[in-house]
Amino acid sequence: MLVSFSFGNYKSFKDENTISLVAEIADANNEYSVSTPFEYSVLKTAAVYGANASGKSKLFDAMAFFRSVVRPPQNAKKIPVFDFWKNKYDTFRLSTKSVEKSSFFEVVFILDEIQYRYGLELNAKGILEEWLYRKNERETLILSRIVDEDGSLKMKIGKTFINAKVYANVVGAGMVSADVPLLTILATFNDTLSKEIVNWFGQMKIISANELVAPIEALMEENSKKEIINFMRAFDFNIEDFAMHEISPESIPEKMKSIIGEDALKGPVYDGVSTTHRLYNELYEKVGTRQFMMEVDESFGTNRLLRLSWSILRALKEGYTLLIDEIDSGLHPFIVSTIISLFYQTNNRAQLIVNTQNSSLLAYPIGYEDNNKDKKYLFRKDQIYIVNKNRYGESNVYPITHFQRNIRTSMEKMYLDGKFTGVPYVELDNILDLIGHESQG
């Protein structure tokens, strides 16, 4: 489970910022949080609010970037692209000092009842420092590496936790590179703990608001496809079936073939997802089915929920951490609130972190509870973060308790009234001037 994420000097975030999932409020029934072997509980969900262009998505980008450094994507031949992160690296660019400084990333998480703290400091040239600590009763160093001012590299491992033979072979073969974390290299050569930690990064899914890819592998496997269909039906989408829409390689233009590559054309080629709907006669009797193209014929909301479906199901079933950027994009608030509620009702290791513009979620109850004084809301005050951007273009993220500790009324009203900030300031008179109208108020 993710306990906290800290980072600095990345995109619109100039200074160090932290989002913590440590519960601040006692939760005897474990409704909102999960007990740990340590002196804290971990929240099951959290929500990030803020005005447009404040940095909400860039907060998620920072986590996605860190993940890509530790667990790089693979090319078509399943070989990790270790320097992939260099094309994504982006410091805060509105300060002459920041563009010359390094960036910082660190996570604290719990894996198999042990707390780990792992972090990196890097710049455009490579990794400058790396550290991993393990905590059971007290914190213990597992590995570290640092580039000194003279350019020399110093490394250290805890031989109790890291396979000394694997480490010696990696160092002896000159495999340590400024492009790749030492942790990732050790995992590549099958050090047990390193693989477990890299896999923890791998199970964490970050879905951007611009996610365009349907869960293709899941749709091509019959059991997982059935789960996705049932998930969609639960939200009243009358889709009978999904299938990958196969096309003939001969129908692909030659210029496109050169981009796709010959290897990709040797097997089946798909250009999207098709959906199956029931076909009725004039008496509303089912007489067959009709096919639609998901990307063309179905609504944006249907496409959006399909893209989220398998990640949500996996997180809930397997206890993963899921981050969804702009979860309310294209989805009705009731669907969104139901998805969030599921993380309270199922696997208590599953976590959901979202960012959203939808203030009504602050007033939604969990599940289908009656409207009474004892109803539980989707979010408590210790689960809400606000992202603000100042006049110098610097984003910062804070819990709402940073702005007001004593919250006795509706969080939605307080948010919309600007008590927590994070709402846009609109120059209405300027707009009225543009269209030649005077203000009525």
Side-chain angles (χ1 to χ4, degrees):
M1 296 188 75
L2 179 65
V3 177
S4 67
F5 171 52
S6 303
F7 69 104
N9 196 24
Y10 186 75
K11 291 196 171 181
S12 64
F13 290 84
K14 177 186 176 185
D15 300 319
E16 181 178 334
N17 281 262
T18 298
I19 181 167
S20 172
L21 295 178
V22 174
E24 294 183 11
I25 302 172
D27 189 6
N29 296 321
N30 285 356
E31 291 176 292
Y32 292 93
S33 62
V34 179
S35 299
T36 74
F38 308 97
E39 295 181 354
Y40 60 82
S41 295
V42 179
L43 294 168
K44 297 177 182 179
T45 71
V48 180
Y49 281 82
N52 292 98
S54 60
K56 298 188 306 298
S57 295
K58 290 179 173 59
L59 169 63
F60 283 39
D61 289 346
M63 178 61 92
F65 173 80
F66 187 26
R67 180 183 183 275
S68 73
V69 180
V70 180
R71 194 177 188 274
Q74 299 174 333
N75 61 22
K77 295 182 179 180
K78 306 299 182 182
I79 299 173
V81 184
F82 290 122
D83 62 350
F84 173 85
W85 65 268
K86 287 194 168 184
N87 292 322
K88 300 290 184 180
Y89 182 58
D90 189 3
T91 60
F92 180 76
R93 287 181 271 168
L94 297 180
S95 165
T96 55
K97 185 176 182 180
S98 293
V99 294
E100 299 173 354
K101 292 178 63 178
S102 58
S103 300
F104 158 85
F105 302 88
E106 182 181 80
V107 288
V108 177
F109 60 97
I110 296 174
L111 177 63
D112 296 331
E113 305 301 308
I114 302 295
Q115 176 185 289
Y116 294 93
R117 179 166 63 89
Y118 176 74
L120 294 169
E121 182 185 341
L122 49 79
N123 59 22
K125 294 181 180 179
I127 296 168
L128 304 174
E129 189 171 354
E130 178 182 4
W131 57 93
L132 173 64
Y133 289 87
R134 176 187 191 273
K135 182 178 180 181
N136 190 352
E137 295 181 354
R138 61 185 182 85
E139 196 170 66
T140 305
L141 177 70
I142 294 179
L143 68 80
S144 71
R145 82 167 179 185
I146 185 168
V147 177
D148 283 343
E149 292 182 1
D150 61 3
S152 61
L153 177 63
K154 293 182 180 179
M155 297 186 292
K156 183 189 297 185
I157 63 164
K159 295 182 180 179
T160 305
F161 309 107
I162 299 293
N163 187 312
K165 184 176 180 180
V166 172
Y167 174 75
N169 289 340
V170 163
V171 175
M175 297 298 297
V176 180
S177 162
D179 292 343
V180 195
L182 176 59
L183 178 77
T184 307
I185 300 171
L186 292 171
T188 303
F189 286 89
N190 294 316
D191 174 70
T192 302
L193 179 60
S194 300
K195 282 185 68 175
E196 290 176 355
I197 293 174
V198 170
N199 287 339
W200 179 86
F201 276 91
Q203 59 82 23
M204 181 169 53
K205 178 73 173 176
I206 301 123
I207 302 179
S208 76
N210 300 317
E211 179 74 63
L212 299 176
V213 181
I216 295 172
E217 291 185 6
L219 290 174
M220 295 179 69
E221 201 280 316
E222 198 60 32
N223 289 332
S224 55
K225 184 177 78 168
K226 288 179 180 177
E227 292 183 23
I228 291 172
I229 292 171
N230 288 332
F231 179 84
M232 299 292 287
R233 283 178 179 169
F235 294 101
D236 200 29
F237 289 90
N238 60 342
I239 294 173
E240 295 288 299
D241 198 4
F242 292 100
M244 299 305 301
H245 189 260
E246 187 172 352
I247 60 173
S248 169
E250 285 72 28
S251 66
I252 302 174
E254 289 301 321
K255 287 186 178 180
M256 186 62 69
K257 286 182 180 180
S258 64
I259 296 173
I260 296 173
E262 293 182 4
D263 290 342
L265 298 174
K266 291 179 180 178
V269 180
Y270 307 100
D271 69 344
V273 176
S274 65
T275 60
T276 302
H277 291 260
R278 293 181 181 183
L279 180 65
Y280 300 92
N281 62 18
E282 64 276 11
L283 299 177
Y284 295 104
E285 299 168 328
K286 181 182 176 182
V287 294
T289 59
R290 180 150 290 173
Q291 305 297 120
F292 290 86
M293 282 300 294
M294 185 76 188
E295 296 81 2
V296 176
D297 299 313
E298 304 290 358
S299 72
F300 175 77
T302 304
N303 276 272
R304 173 72 166 158
L305 190 59
L306 174 64
R307 291 162 191 158
L308 297 177
S309 60
W310 188 237
S311 295
I312 293 170
L313 287 168
R314 288 186 72 240
L316 290 168
K317 291 176 65 176
E318 301 180 42
Y320 292 163
T321 300
L322 175 62
L323 292 84
I324 303 178
D325 182 26
E326 294 188 23
I327 189 172
D328 53 315
S329 176
L331 299 180
H332 191 279
F334 189 79
I335 292 179
V336 175
S337 67
T338 301
I339 290 170
I340 295 168
S341 294
L342 287 170
F343 282 79
Y344 297 124
Q345 300 169 21
T346 53
N347 189 314
N348 67 357
R349 295 287 169 179
Q351 289 176 292
L352 176 65
I353 305 171
V354 304
N355 75 39
T356 177
Q357 306 274 14
N358 192 343
S359 63
S360 70
L361 295 176
L362 296 173
Y364 261 82
I366 295 175
Y368 304 92
E369 295 190 30
D370 294 332
N371 185 20
N372 59 60
K373 65 179 181 179
D374 296 322
K375 70 180 178 182
K376 303 293 194 301
Y377 290 98
L378 277 181
F379 299 113
R380 304 184 310 192
K381 64 182 181 181
D382 60 337
Q383 294 172 282
I384 309 297
Y385 276 80
I386 302 291
V387 178
N388 279 314
K389 183 181 284 185
N390 65 22
R391 61 186 296 185
Y392 305 106
E394 303 169 1
S395 296
N396 287 283
V397 60
Y398 304 99
I400 62 171
T401 50
H402 172 87
F403 302 97
Q404 189 160 344
R405 301 291 302 184
N406 188 17
I407 300 173
R408 295 177 179 268
T409 185
S410 163
M411 287 196 296
E412 179 185 19
K413 184 178 186 303
M414 293 182 73
Y415 173 64
L416 292 176
D417 286 346
K419 297 292 176 61
F420 308 138
T421 70
V423 291
Y425 175 74
V426 179
E427 291 278 4
L428 182 60
D429 288 341
N430 288 357
I431 300 173
L432 292 170
D433 287 344
L434 289 173
I435 59 177
H437 287 273
E438 294 183 0
S439 173
Q440 299 298 310

